[in-house]
Amino acid sequence: MTDDGFTVTPYTVSGEIDYENVLEQFGADRLTDEQIARFPTPVHPLVRRRVFYAGRDVDRFLSAATAGERHSIVTGRGPSGAMHLGHIIPLYFAKHLQQQTNALVYLPFSDDEKYFVTDNSLEEIGAQTRENLRDLLAVGFDPDRTRIIVDTADADVIYPLAAAFAPSVTGSTFEAAYGQPKNIGHAFYPAVQAAHLLLPQLVEGRHPTLVPIGVDQDPHVRVCRDIAAKRRYDVDKPGALLSKFLPSLDGPGKMSSSSNSGTTPTIYLSDDRETVFEKIHTHAYSGGQPTVDEHRKHGGDPQADVSYQLLHSFFEADDDRLDRIEREYRNGALLSGELKEMAADAIASFLDAHQRRRRRLDSLETELRRYRLTEHEREHARRRVGHSTFKTMI
């Protein structure tokens, strides 16, 4: 959608986003206090602080998760470049839920889509996919409860599913959700995305699935829900948990490799501690006053301050400590530089731990072997949509 002053689509996010307007346009439901309370304890900060602020069919997922019934999470990565904080946080959230509820987690990599919609070559996309996969593996999912799918590497299962779903996606449906396609590959991608989101049910049988994503990615879920509603394949509509965006360092908007201004850097998963501190101190937008004296007198605005928002979103788990930081920043006891120091230290420590796990990984081929779909799972999914292997057909 494009509205006055901002744009939110799966491929473009810009401007200062009115999240209530987005919900009204997309038709999703705001999370209620009752729903937040039903998440497993401790409720993740992203949920209890309403960074994940809306959803679709969240109650069905929560009922299955709390009852110990089969349920799954689907989230993944479009490998268009090096990963940054905004990319990895939904993956750590999915791991948190897996640890709490024993959820199945499916992690698709849409390397084909990124070839369709970017100017990167196949070789560049392949290199980015390999690097991104190592970052995903460093998160530490349970290999017995997790499947990683790469579209081009797993075409033997993804393509038959997408081919089955494609007739349900008309040109008008695509244009309503995405606008004009860039090319024929882009036009076909919603069918591939439906294969991603329905794959857990096609492998494991019908059950509630939750897709935790940025609100800009909701069109993918809406199109897939339309496909599932046709009831041809005995699957439920996938649910969604929709998040606000981690702020770019220069203020409101989505954290990305190119910020709103085009000049402010983002924080990559490969950044060392010194780089994180430099980026935060130099570029993080401050909600403080121009001088120390004015700040001591009037205080700062944590809602406008990027360092505070980063702590609030993910990097400070203790609610009491976060409340104290907010209070002291508002009354001027805490200076902007001190707040930046807190945020930089928290982010650098998070990245230190992530990078240590990444360095300990074995070869990509060895690590991925534990997360690949088995041949039985592949064949089961294909048969659920009326396909069998070519060998079986002849």
Side-chain angles (χ1 to χ4, degrees):
M1 65 169 289
T2 298
D3 214 312
D4 291 341
F6 70 93
T7 298
V8 177
T9 77
Y11 304 105
T12 302
V13 175
S14 64
E16 187 166 356
I17 297 154
D18 182 337
Y19 287 102
E20 293 301 323
N21 192 324
V22 172
L23 282 195
E24 182 178 340
Q25 295 296 319
F26 285 1
D29 299 318
R30 173 173 282 281
L31 285 185
T32 66
D33 292 341
E34 291 76 15
Q35 286 174 319
I36 291 172
R38 291 182 64 199
F39 276 81
T41 304
V43 179
H44 196 281
L46 289 169
V47 174
R48 68 176 187 264
R49 295 174 188 163
R50 299 181 185 274
V51 179
F52 280 110
Y53 79 115
R56 301 178 186 277
D57 283 340
V58 173
D59 286 324
R60 292 184 57 256
F61 175 86
L62 292 174
S63 294
T66 54
E69 298 170 354
R70 182 181 292 122
H71 59 288
S72 62
I73 299 165
V74 181
T75 188
R77 170 74 181 132
S80 57
M83 292 181 70
H84 57 63
L85 292 180
H87 296 140
I88 203 68
I89 284 176
L91 297 171
Y92 274 95
F93 174 73
K95 175 192 171 183
H96 172 84
L97 284 182
Q98 183 180 65
Q99 291 175 326
Q100 287 183 309
T101 71
N102 205 31
L104 297 164
V105 175
Y106 277 61
L107 302 166
F109 265 61
S110 54
D111 57 338
D112 51 349
E113 181 211 19
K114 291 309 173 187
Y115 181 60
F116 301 147
V117 301
T118 71
D119 294 328
N120 293 340
S121 68
L122 286 172
E123 291 79 11
E124 289 169 330
I125 294 290
Q128 291 159 2
T129 297
R130 290 188 289 274
E131 289 301 311
N132 287 184
L133 281 167
R134 292 190 71 82
D135 277 313
L136 182 148
L137 290 163
V139 174
F141 290 98
D142 178 358
D144 293 330
R145 306 288 294 171
T146 306
R147 293 294 179 263
I148 297 172
I149 301 96
V150 179
D151 285 352
T152 56
D154 293 298
D156 64 310
V157 64
I158 292 298
Y159 182 78
L161 303 185
F165 301 144
S168 298
V169 185
T170 65
S172 59
T173 297
F174 182 97
E175 290 183 19
Y178 304 102
Q180 289 292 324
K182 290 175 67 75
N183 50 53
I184 198 168
H186 184 201
F188 184 71
Y189 182 71
V192 178
Q193 182 69 47
H196 294 163
L197 301 187
L198 297 177
L199 184 57
Q201 295 186 70
L202 297 172
V203 170
E204 301 285 347
R206 192 171 178 177
H207 65 263
T209 297
L210 189 70
V211 186
I213 48 173
V215 69
D216 58 323
Q217 301 299 303
D218 184 57
H220 294 317
V221 177
R222 296 203 307 271
V223 171
C224 182
R225 286 169 61 86
D226 287 345
I227 293 171
K230 299 182 189 303
R231 300 290 185 189
R232 293 178 182 171
Y233 307 109
D234 192 29
V235 293
D236 288 328
K237 296 179 182 180
L241 193 60
L242 306 177
S243 78
K244 300 175 182 178
F245 301 121
L246 199 66
S248 60
L249 293 183
D250 54 359
K254 177 185 180 183
M255 179 170 280
S256 68
S257 54
S258 56
S259 68
N260 292 340
S261 68
T263 59
T264 302
T266 192
I267 298 175
Y268 291 100
L269 302 187
S270 57
D271 285 347
D272 60 23
R273 178 169 288 266
E274 181 180 354
T275 301
V276 171
F277 272 76
E278 188 276 330
K279 287 182 176 180
I280 292 290
H281 278 287
T282 304
H283 298 286
Y285 184 84
S286 171
Q289 302 297 332
T291 69
V292 171
D293 287 344
E294 289 179 275
H295 189 88
R296 294 294 191 198
K297 181 178 181 180
H298 300 292
D301 179 3
Q303 299 309 310
D305 194 288
V306 167
S307 295
Y308 175 80
Q309 290 302 317
L310 290 170
L311 291 170
H312 174 271
S313 296
F314 186 80
F315 294 101
E316 176 50 66
D318 189 315
D319 288 344
D320 291 338
R321 186 166 188 265
L322 187 70
D323 288 344
R324 184 172 68 254
I325 290 169
E326 180 181 18
R327 183 173 62 253
E328 291 180 355
Y329 195 59
R330 285 190 184 280
N331 67 27
L334 182 66
L335 299 176
S336 295
E338 294 169 329
L339 182 54
K340 287 186 175 187
E341 195 80 3
M342 291 177 179
D345 183 63
I347 294 168
S349 296
F350 169 82
L351 291 180
D352 285 344
H354 178 85
Q355 291 163 12
R356 283 196 299 271
R357 290 191 295 273
R358 195 182 195 278
R359 287 192 296 269
R360 289 198 295 263
L361 293 173
D362 206 331
S363 71
L364 186 58
E365 292 73 16
T366 299
E367 294 286 350
L368 276 178
R369 195 172 297 130
R370 301 183 296 161
Y371 295 90
R372 298 295 302 277
L373 289 164
T374 67
E375 187 50 49
H376 171 75
E377 291 167 339
R378 293 167 189 271
E379 182 63 14
H380 191 65
R382 289 186 293 249
R383 287 185 180 279
R384 288 286 299 276
V385 298
H387 281 266
S388 59
T389 63
F390 185 66
K391 179 179 178 180
T392 302
M393 291 171 63
I394 62 173

